[in-house]
mmCIF file with all atom_site columns, all heavy atoms in Angstrom:
data_model
loop_
_atom_site.group_PDB
_atom_site.id
_atom_site.type_symbol
_atom_site.label_atom_id
_atom_site.label_alt_id
_atom_site.label_comp_id
_atom_site.label_asym_id
_atom_site.label_entity_id
_atom_site.label_seq_id
_atom_site.pdbx_PDB_ins_code
_atom_site.Cartn_x
_atom_site.Cartn_y
_atom_site.Cartn_z
_atom_site.occupancy
_atom_site.B_iso_or_equiv
_atom_site.pdbx_formal_charge
_atom_site.auth_seq_id
_atom_site.auth_comp_id
_atom_site.auth_asym_id
_atom_site.auth_atom_id
_atom_site.pdbx_PDB_model_num
ATOM 1  N N   . VAL B 1 290 ? 256.002 98.846 -110.685 1.00 97.00 ? 290 VAL B N   1
ATOM 2  C CA  . VAL B 1 290 ? 256.686 97.849 -110.112 1.00 97.00 ? 290 VAL B CA  1
ATOM 3  C C   . VAL B 1 290 ? 256.189 96.453 -110.632 1.00 97.00 ? 290 VAL B C   1
ATOM 4  O O   . VAL B 1 290 ? 255.053 96.159 -110.502 1.00 97.00 ? 290 VAL B O   1
ATOM 5  C CB  . VAL B 1 290 ? 256.629 97.772 -108.569 1.00 97.00 ? 290 VAL B CB  1
ATOM 6  C CG1 . VAL B 1 290 ? 257.323 96.590 -107.935 1.00 97.00 ? 290 VAL B CG1 1
ATOM 7  C CG2 . VAL B 1 290 ? 257.339 99.104 -107.988 1.00 97.00 ? 290 VAL B CG2 1
ATOM 8  N N   . LEU B 1 291 ? 256.975 95.599 -111.309 1.00 98.00 ? 291 LEU B N   1
ATOM 9  C CA  . LEU B 1 291 ? 256.595 94.343 -111.972 1.00 98.00 ? 291 LEU B CA  1
ATOM 10 C C   . LEU B 1 291 ? 256.901 93.217 -111.002 1.00 98.00 ? 291 LEU B C   1
ATOM 11 O O   . LEU B 1 291 ? 258.083 93.042 -110.712 1.00 98.00 ? 291 LEU B O   1
ATOM 12 C CB  . LEU B 1 291 ? 257.367 94.220 -113.286 1.00 98.00 ? 291 LEU B CB  1
ATOM 13 C CG  . LEU B 1 291 ? 256.968 92.970 -114.154 1.00 98.00 ? 291 LEU B CG  1
ATOM 14 C CD1 . LEU B 1 291 ? 255.464 92.889 -114.400 1.00 98.00 ? 291 LEU B CD1 1
ATOM 15 C CD2 . LEU B 1 291 ? 257.780 92.875 -115.305 1.00 98.00 ? 291 LEU B CD2 1
ATOM 16 N N   . VAL B 1 292 ? 255.907 92.668 -110.452 1.00 98.00 ? 292 VAL B N   1
ATOM 17 C CA  . VAL B 1 292 ? 256.033 91.464 -109.481 1.00 98.00 ? 292 VAL B CA  1
ATOM 18 C C   . VAL B 1 292 ? 255.956 90.234 -110.340 1.00 98.00 ? 292 VAL B C   1
ATOM 19 O O   . VAL B 1 292 ? 254.985 89.869 -110.920 1.00 98.00 ? 292 VAL B O   1
ATOM 20 C CB  . VAL B 1 292 ? 255.052 91.529 -108.449 1.00 98.00 ? 292 VAL B CB  1
ATOM 21 C CG1 . VAL B 1 292 ? 255.247 90.395 -107.504 1.00 98.00 ? 292 VAL B CG1 1
ATOM 22 C CG2 . VAL B 1 292 ? 255.050 92.829 -107.717 1.00 98.00 ? 292 VAL B CG2 1
ATOM 23 N N   . ALA B 1 293 ? 257.100 89.547 -110.438 1.00 98.00 ? 293 ALA B N   1
ATOM 24 C CA  . ALA B 1 293 ? 257.242 88.199 -111.186 1.00 98.00 ? 293 ALA B CA  1
ATOM 25 C C   . ALA B 1 293 ? 257.064 87.044 -110.244 1.00 98.00 ? 293 ALA B C   1
ATOM 26 O O   . ALA B 1 293 ? 258.012 86.880 -109.353 1.00 98.00 ? 293 ALA B O   1
ATOM 27 C CB  . ALA B 1 293 ? 258.520 88.208 -112.004 1.00 98.00 ? 293 ALA B CB  1
ATOM 28 N N   . ASP B 1 294 ? 256.117 86.301 -110.394 1.00 97.00 ? 294 ASP B N   1
ATOM 29 C CA  . ASP B 1 294 ? 255.865 85.077 -109.466 1.00 97.00 ? 294 ASP B CA  1
ATOM 30 C C   . ASP B 1 294 ? 256.433 83.880 -110.178 1.00 97.00 ? 294 ASP B C   1
ATOM 31 O O   . ASP B 1 294 ? 256.056 83.450 -111.191 1.00 97.00 ? 294 ASP B O   1
ATOM 32 C CB  . ASP B 1 294 ? 254.332 84.965 -109.355 1.00 97.00 ? 294 ASP B CB  1
ATOM 33 C CG  . ASP B 1 294 ? 253.997 83.816 -108.385 1.00 97.00 ? 294 ASP B CG  1
ATOM 34 O OD1 . ASP B 1 294 ? 254.817 82.900 -108.127 1.00 97.00 ? 294 ASP B OD1 1
ATOM 35 O OD2 . ASP B 1 294 ? 252.905 83.796 -107.804 1.00 97.00 ? 294 ASP B OD2 1
ATOM 36 N N   . GLU B 1 295 ? 257.574 83.390 -109.564 1.00 97.00 ? 295 GLU B N   1
ATOM 37 C CA  . GLU B 1 295 ? 258.304 82.232 -110.106 1.00 97.00 ? 295 GLU B CA  1
ATOM 38 C C   . GLU B 1 295 ? 257.955 80.905 -109.380 1.00 97.00 ? 295 GLU B C   1
ATOM 39 O O   . GLU B 1 295 ? 258.726 80.011 -109.483 1.00 97.00 ? 295 GLU B O   1
ATOM 40 C CB  . GLU B 1 295 ? 259.753 82.531 -109.937 1.00 97.00 ? 295 GLU B CB  1
ATOM 41 C CG  . GLU B 1 295 ? 260.268 83.642 -110.851 1.00 97.00 ? 295 GLU B CG  1
ATOM 42 C CD  . GLU B 1 295 ? 261.774 83.555 -110.845 1.00 97.00 ? 295 GLU B CD  1
ATOM 43 O OE1 . GLU B 1 295 ? 262.492 83.101 -109.813 1.00 97.00 ? 295 GLU B OE1 1
ATOM 44 O OE2 . GLU B 1 295 ? 262.440 84.018 -111.888 1.00 97.00 ? 295 GLU B OE2 1
ATOM 45 N N   . THR B 1 296 ? 256.814 80.823 -108.692 1.00 96.00 ? 296 THR B N   1
ATOM 46 C CA  . THR B 1 296 ? 256.621 79.590 -107.940 1.00 96.00 ? 296 THR B CA  1
ATOM 47 C C   . THR B 1 296 ? 256.574 78.323 -108.762 1.00 96.00 ? 296 THR B C   1
ATOM 48 O O   . THR B 1 296 ? 256.625 77.223 -108.299 1.00 96.00 ? 296 THR B O   1
ATOM 49 C CB  . THR B 1 296 ? 255.238 79.723 -107.081 1.00 96.00 ? 296 THR B CB  1
ATOM 50 O OG1 . THR B 1 296 ? 254.184 80.097 -108.036 1.00 96.00 ? 296 THR B OG1 1
ATOM 51 C CG2 . THR B 1 296 ? 255.450 80.759 -106.158 1.00 96.00 ? 296 THR B CG2 1
ATOM 52 N N   . MET B 1 297 ? 256.174 78.470 -110.084 1.00 96.00 ? 297 MET B N   1
ATOM 53 C CA  . MET B 1 297 ? 256.123 77.243 -110.970 1.00 96.00 ? 297 MET B CA  1
ATOM 54 C C   . MET B 1 297 ? 257.389 77.117 -111.856 1.00 96.00 ? 297 MET B C   1
ATOM 55 O O   . MET B 1 297 ? 257.337 76.201 -112.720 1.00 96.00 ? 297 MET B O   1
ATOM 56 C CB  . MET B 1 297 ? 254.853 77.405 -111.885 1.00 96.00 ? 297 MET B CB  1
ATOM 57 C CG  . MET B 1 297 ? 253.542 77.495 -111.174 1.00 96.00 ? 297 MET B CG  1
ATOM 58 S SD  . MET B 1 297 ? 252.933 75.903 -110.754 1.00 96.00 ? 297 MET B SD  1
ATOM 59 C CE  . MET B 1 297 ? 251.246 76.367 -110.278 1.00 96.00 ? 297 MET B CE  1
ATOM 60 N N   . SER B 1 298 ? 258.347 77.913 -111.654 1.00 96.00 ? 298 SER B N   1
ATOM 61 C CA  . SER B 1 298 ? 259.434 78.031 -112.654 1.00 96.00 ? 298 SER B CA  1
ATOM 62 C C   . SER B 1 298 ? 260.265 76.713 -112.732 1.00 96.00 ? 298 SER B C   1
ATOM 63 O O   . SER B 1 298 ? 260.826 76.458 -113.823 1.00 96.00 ? 298 SER B O   1
ATOM 64 C CB  . SER B 1 298 ? 260.417 79.155 -112.280 1.00 96.00 ? 298 SER B CB  1
ATOM 65 O OG  . SER B 1 298 ? 260.969 78.841 -110.993 1.00 96.00 ? 298 SER B OG  1
ATOM 66 N N   . GLU B 1 299 ? 260.232 75.907 -111.828 1.00 96.00 ? 299 GLU B N   1
ATOM 67 C CA  . GLU B 1 299 ? 260.977 74.605 -111.961 1.00 96.00 ? 299 GLU B CA  1
ATOM 68 C C   . GLU B 1 299 ? 260.164 73.403 -112.310 1.00 96.00 ? 299 GLU B C   1
ATOM 69 O O   . GLU B 1 299 ? 260.721 72.239 -112.412 1.00 96.00 ? 299 GLU B O   1
ATOM 70 C CB  . GLU B 1 299 ? 261.807 74.303 -110.589 1.00 96.00 ? 299 GLU B CB  1
ATOM 71 C CG  . GLU B 1 299 ? 262.758 75.382 -110.266 1.00 96.00 ? 299 GLU B CG  1
ATOM 72 C CD  . GLU B 1 299 ? 263.599 74.921 -109.062 1.00 96.00 ? 299 GLU B CD  1
ATOM 73 O OE1 . GLU B 1 299 ? 264.297 73.941 -109.186 1.00 96.00 ? 299 GLU B OE1 1
ATOM 74 O OE2 . GLU B 1 299 ? 263.572 75.647 -108.001 1.00 96.00 ? 299 GLU B OE2 1
ATOM 75 N N   . LEU B 1 300 ? 258.872 73.669 -112.622 1.00 96.00 ? 300 LEU B N   1
ATOM 76 C CA  . LEU B 1 300 ? 258.055 72.552 -112.949 1.00 96.00 ? 300 LEU B CA  1
ATOM 77 C C   . LEU B 1 300 ? 257.822 72.393 -114.388 1.00 96.00 ? 300 LEU B C   1
ATOM 78 O O   . LEU B 1 300 ? 256.625 72.289 -114.894 1.00 96.00 ? 300 LEU B O   1
ATOM 79 C CB  . LEU B 1 300 ? 256.613 72.728 -112.174 1.00 96.00 ? 300 LEU B CB  1
ATOM 80 C CG  . LEU B 1 300 ? 256.724 72.558 -110.674 1.00 96.00 ? 300 LEU B CG  1
ATOM 81 C CD1 . LEU B 1 300 ? 255.360 72.890 -110.058 1.00 96.00 ? 300 LEU B CD1 1
ATOM 82 C CD2 . LEU B 1 300 ? 257.204 71.182 -110.209 1.00 96.00 ? 300 LEU B CD2 1
ATOM 83 N N   . TRP B 1 301 ? 258.902 72.310 -115.181 1.00 96.00 ? 301 TRP B N   1
ATOM 84 C CA  . TRP B 1 301 ? 258.722 71.951 -116.638 1.00 96.00 ? 301 TRP B CA  1
ATOM 85 C C   . TRP B 1 301 ? 258.637 70.449 -116.619 1.00 96.00 ? 301 TRP B C   1
ATOM 86 O O   . TRP B 1 301 ? 259.106 69.704 -115.896 1.00 96.00 ? 301 TRP B O   1
ATOM 87 C CB  . TRP B 1 301 ? 259.871 72.352 -117.413 1.00 96.00 ? 301 TRP B CB  1
ATOM 88 C CG  . TRP B 1 301 ? 261.206 71.747 -117.059 1.00 96.00 ? 301 TRP B CG  1
ATOM 89 C CD1 . TRP B 1 301 ? 261.701 70.506 -117.443 1.00 96.00 ? 301 TRP B CD1 1
ATOM 90 C CD2 . TRP B 1 301 ? 262.211 72.269 -116.193 1.00 96.00 ? 301 TRP B CD2 1
ATOM 91 N NE1 . TRP B 1 301 ? 262.993 70.348 -116.928 1.00 96.00 ? 301 TRP B NE1 1
ATOM 92 C CE2 . TRP B 1 301 ? 263.266 71.327 -116.122 1.00 96.00 ? 301 TRP B CE2 1
ATOM 93 C CE3 . TRP B 1 301 ? 262.271 73.379 -115.417 1.00 96.00 ? 301 TRP B CE3 1
ATOM 94 C CZ2 . TRP B 1 301 ? 264.457 71.504 -115.294 1.00 96.00 ? 301 TRP B CZ2 1
ATOM 95 C CZ3 . TRP B 1 301 ? 263.452 73.642 -114.627 1.00 96.00 ? 301 TRP B CZ3 1
ATOM 96 C CH2 . TRP B 1 301 ? 264.374 72.832 -114.606 1.00 96.00 ? 301 TRP B CH2 1
#
Side-chain angles (χ1 to χ4, degrees):
V290 175
L291 182 61
V292 180
D294 186 335
E295 288 190 337
T296 54
M297 297 281 193
S298 64
E299 296 191 63
L300 291 177
W301 63 85

